[in-house]
Amino acid sequence: MEYEREVALLIRDRKSGEALYETRARSNGGTVGGTSVLQGMFLASLAEFPKVQNEPHNVAVTLP
């Protein structure tokens, strides 16, 4: 069995509501994972903030 996970993050300007930064992180593996996997995915999604790169690419982070 394979598990697929995805997190999405959208940062908006508080006053205008304009989207300032949007990113996604995906992961798949043979186990359910857990909170450390989700934390790592959020870290990966913010790893290059505030740089914007429109094409999918790999980001490596160390799990907490």
Side-chain angles (χ1 to χ4, degrees):
M1 177 174 260
E2 186 162 314
Y3 295 89
E4 295 182 17
R5 297 166 285 276
E6 181 176 20
V7 297
L9 180 66
L10 175 61
I11 298 174
R12 293 187 179 272
D13 180 89
R14 183 179 288 194
K15 290 184 180 180
S16 69
E18 176 187 1
L20 301 175
Y21 186 76
E22 183 175 2
T23 185
R24 292 181 174 4
R26 300 174 103 185
S27 172
N28 59 0
T31 64
V32 174
T35 57
S36 63
V37 173
L38 292 176
Q39 288 173 340
M41 291 172 67
F42 277 107
L43 287 174
S45 68
L46 287 169
E48 298 174 342
F49 179 79
K51 179 182 169 187
V52 176
Q53 188 169 352
N54 293 328
E55 298 176 12
H57 59 282
N58 293 328
V59 176
V61 296
T62 302
L63 292 177

